[in-house]
Amino acid sequence: MIIQHPLLGPRDAAEFTYMGDAKLIDRPDWQSETAAQDFYAYGYLRDNPAGWHKELWFHEAGDRSWLVVTRNTVTHEISEVALARDVARARGRSK
Amino acid sequence: MTQRNRLASGGQINRDETLKFMFDGKSYQGHAGDTLASALLANGVRLMGRSFKYHRPRGVLTAGSEEPNALVELRGGSRQEPNTRATTAELYHGLLAKSQNRLGSLRFDLLSINDRLSNFLTAGFYYKTFMWPAAFWEKLYEPVIRHAAGLGSLSLKDDPDVYDKGFLHCDLLIIGAGPAGLAAALTAGRAGADVIIADEDFRMGGRLNSETFALGDNSGADWAAATVAELQSLSNVRVMPRTTIIGAFDHGIYGAVERISDHLKTPQEGKPRQILWRIYTRQTILAGGATERPIAFENNDRPGIMLASALRTYANRFAVAADRRVAIFTNNDDGHRTASDLHAKGVKISAVVDVRADAPRSLDYEVLHGEVIDTKGRLGLTFAEVRLADGSTRTLECGALGLSGGWNPNVHLTCHQRGRPTWNDDLAAFVPGSDLPAGMTVAGAANGDMSTTGALQGGRNAALSVLDLDNAPLDLPAAEDAPVVIKPFWYVEGCSRAWLDQQNDVTVKDVKLSHQEGFRSVEHLKRYTTLGMATDQGKTSNMGGLAIMAELAGKSIPEVGTTIFRPPYTPTAIGAFGGRHRGQEFHPTRLTPSHKWATEQGAEFVEVGNWLRAQWFPRAGEKTWRESVDREVLATRASVGVCDVTTLGKVDVQGTDAADFLNKIYCNGFAKLAVGKTRYGLMLREDGIAMDDGTAARLAEDHFVVTTTTANALPVYRHMEFVRQCLFPDMDVQLISTTEAWAQYAVAGPNSRRVLEKIVDQDISNDAFPFMACANITVCGGLRARLFRISFSGELAYEIAVPTEYGDALMRRIMQAGAEFDITPYGTEALGVMRIEKGHAAGNELNGTTTAQNLGMGRMVSKKKDSIGSTLSEREGLNRDDDLRQVGIKPVNPEKAVPAGAHLMAMGGPVDAAHDQGYVTSACYSPNLGHAIALGFLKNGSERMGERMRLVSPLTNVETEVEIVSAHFIDPEGERLRA
């Protein structure tokens, strides 16, 4: 596969390490009343869709960016690639 | 020996160059341009192998890479290569080949008895026959079957040749160099596009080399040669003969195997045998042509029976008549071409047998309306039995029989992304479907355009279309444009031992049996009968099986569907996939800066990840590794030792939020760590399991140096970047791995300070530089360095780091400075012994199943802050009172060992999993204590000090009485550390 790195252009997937669902960005609040339940869901309950999926890829043999790659798990088509940091900020994460 | 079947003239062989070769110990001659198959046929050799299951005599079926039968062991010695298709092996001087799959000689194969036993060896016979008694399987059935089955044999020696890997990029990849591929390449090449054209054959031109068609004023072969010459002259075109595109992968990536040296006896000096290319292309034109298919009838597998197109290839390209008397059995017009071509070359045509009543007639030979129903000839065809349309029979004398059941477009690569081919009634064949791999266009026969004109135009138009060019700069030569006229016909009614898949010995009867037994899905049929599962992947056999299955199920062929085509297109050597990554080069080897020094000391090395680390330093007179390790441990604890710890992961953490960041990744607190101090840190996974441990040294308010274990340097860094970028994107913190930027040495033992005082420029007295201090310092009068007063051994100890390029010099300097204290270099074994004596956890304890609680560090997990893993580490199941706790273990009898991996059981209790109390993780002999010691995990272990238990390992016959003790065997109060 070829991943269109937002900063570096097209890069071979072999340069990357795959982690999984980009929902891992949405780490729960540790002080919430339901923190135990929330972290359980965060850690263990993930979708495994046959189709479009937002995934985390780490450019380990490159610039060490974490990317959010929107990829069809059936066709391997990639529709969007963004820096995970930008996605995290857009989803309200900060410090 | 004379080449008695070589035609007097014609062919694309060099008659001036005669090549000698050996087959099954007999010497023959061929010419440059021959394949092994064409040269054997030229010498009148039809019998080339035995079949897989029934050991029936077999010859060539085809003239290309789809060959199921003529598999040989090519070359000898360590270069012996089993299952090589004689039809693609280029002849070279001194070629050596052996037939395979036989017991005894090829002519008198003892296992041909299997053919007489065929009633017992039908589809699924393994599952049915070898069921009882169960004990016989391992001892009798399997060894006998393994001996009898299988194809060629391996040399079991190391492959002496080199395989390479490479990367290519282009605008347009053209797969196949027949008329369509060449027309496409010429169009794109002249337009200036960056083109790669690859063909599996050593002579480009595809069917143009095998036919007698004219292209304009030239023969097809001449036009192909001229076109290839022009393409080779263009700097923007890379022409790759002997190159098979083995797979179409994602996003325009193709795998290609280029056979650089397979046509030579041995590779030229410095040249690889093969290259596995990864080709990145924007657009692809698949012009892979088509493959003819046979027709099934009783005894259709005798040597001499082959595809009609193969007979034509042997005659036209190689100037070989497979026999002087040839018959043809066809259901379409193309089969008649073979008859007319061979007739023109003076070969006697016994008859053309056509299943169609309206078959074209000929003045030159007899055309019969009927079917071939059986054949004769023990080791090669002698007679064909024909049933005519009126019911009468005729016997044709022939030594070769050409079969033409129609042509299948080579759709394989169009299906590598799960595309499905669609059925075309006019061709009675599958053609590429609409769901092609992105960027792929199909042209020529592969797309169902079966005439030469159709192929030329299809190739040109495809190139114009993918390159977005308006008009054609290419005038195509005039060529034949015959339509496909075919009557679908797959097998002769009433036949049973009629071979569909000759390589796996699957007959029409097997397919019928499998249907009868309920295997209705085409994928099930394939696996039950093994149809299409051999090295040829059913290129000539799958369609026949599908057609019979469709008929039995009362469905159409497209309703039955095809099995999925997967890479590789043709068998590919594992060596090509491995490339240079084999033996010592399997992965890169990392050496520390003082590796040369360690080698000079005679160190024994051990692989740790990719690193080589000194394991111990043997001295003269030491007979066992234990003697060396014991000496290193005792000398370090008595005076001073030095150990290379460069391989530990190092991560530089900088920024105003650096301390907050460490608070997130470590379960214990770091915000209040003073500048100039180091702290042990335990990192958890988000699920609460311990991930890694190490130290973080605060060199400045906004600057920490984090260490990781050697093995986890990469995953920990990746995790830290995840936390930084994905979870806390606004923290002002930057990370960089500095593992390779610093050489680091542990100097341990009561005299360690005295040694370092001679090297370090600053005051490092206990007051000025106490336990857990850290600082940027200088050494040797000004070289920048880092000093950490941390201890893995439990002794007064330091770790000192200098930029990598000074590592070797520093090690030599430390040895020099320590000479007066008899400083002893120690390796990873002594390091391990000392950390077990001290009770420090390492990889054996942080094994991916243990929590901070298990490690006795439960109280380190701060509840006052959020850190990765803190919430889930509080789960009830991870916090039970009877949880495993890290303990020390020693034998009651000091002579006994306490091996790692053994389990702890209650005294007098049963030994089984239900009564398992814990296990040993790390064990060693402690030279300080004079007996074996171990670390392990025990249920509620911290409350069981002094308890006696059984340590058992039933597999290795261990049964030892042990005592549970504190994990801190040496200096439990830590006085030495602080001295």
Side-chain angles (χ1 to χ4, degrees), chain B residues 414-431:
Chain B
T414 68
C415 302
H416 282 185
Q417 315 272 326
R418 292 192 81 87
R420 291 289 189 168
T422 54
W423 182 254
N424 180 313
D425 269 327
D426 294 337
L427 303 176
F430 281 104
V431 295

Side-chain angles (χ1 to χ4, degrees), chain B residues 499-516:
Chain B
W499 270 260
L500 291 167
D501 183 334
Q502 299 205 19
Q503 193 170 135
N504 266 356
D505 266 344
V506 181
T507 62
V508 170
K509 183 182 166 189
D510 291 320
V511 173
K512 289 181 173 173
L513 183 69
S514 126
H515 178 81
Q516 193 182 315

Side-chain angles (χ1 to χ4, degrees), chain B residues 33 63 76 106 113 188 217 272 277 333 345 464 478 501 505 529 545 550 563 586 589 663 752 772 778 856 901 915 945:
Chain B
L106 188 56
I113 184 75
D217 299 330
W277 294 104
D333 285 1
K345 290 181 188 296
L464 292 175
D501 183 334
D505 266 344
T529 61
T563 55
F586 184 66
T589 302
N663 257 349
S752 56
M772 295 310 263
T778 57
H915 295 84
M945 292 301 138

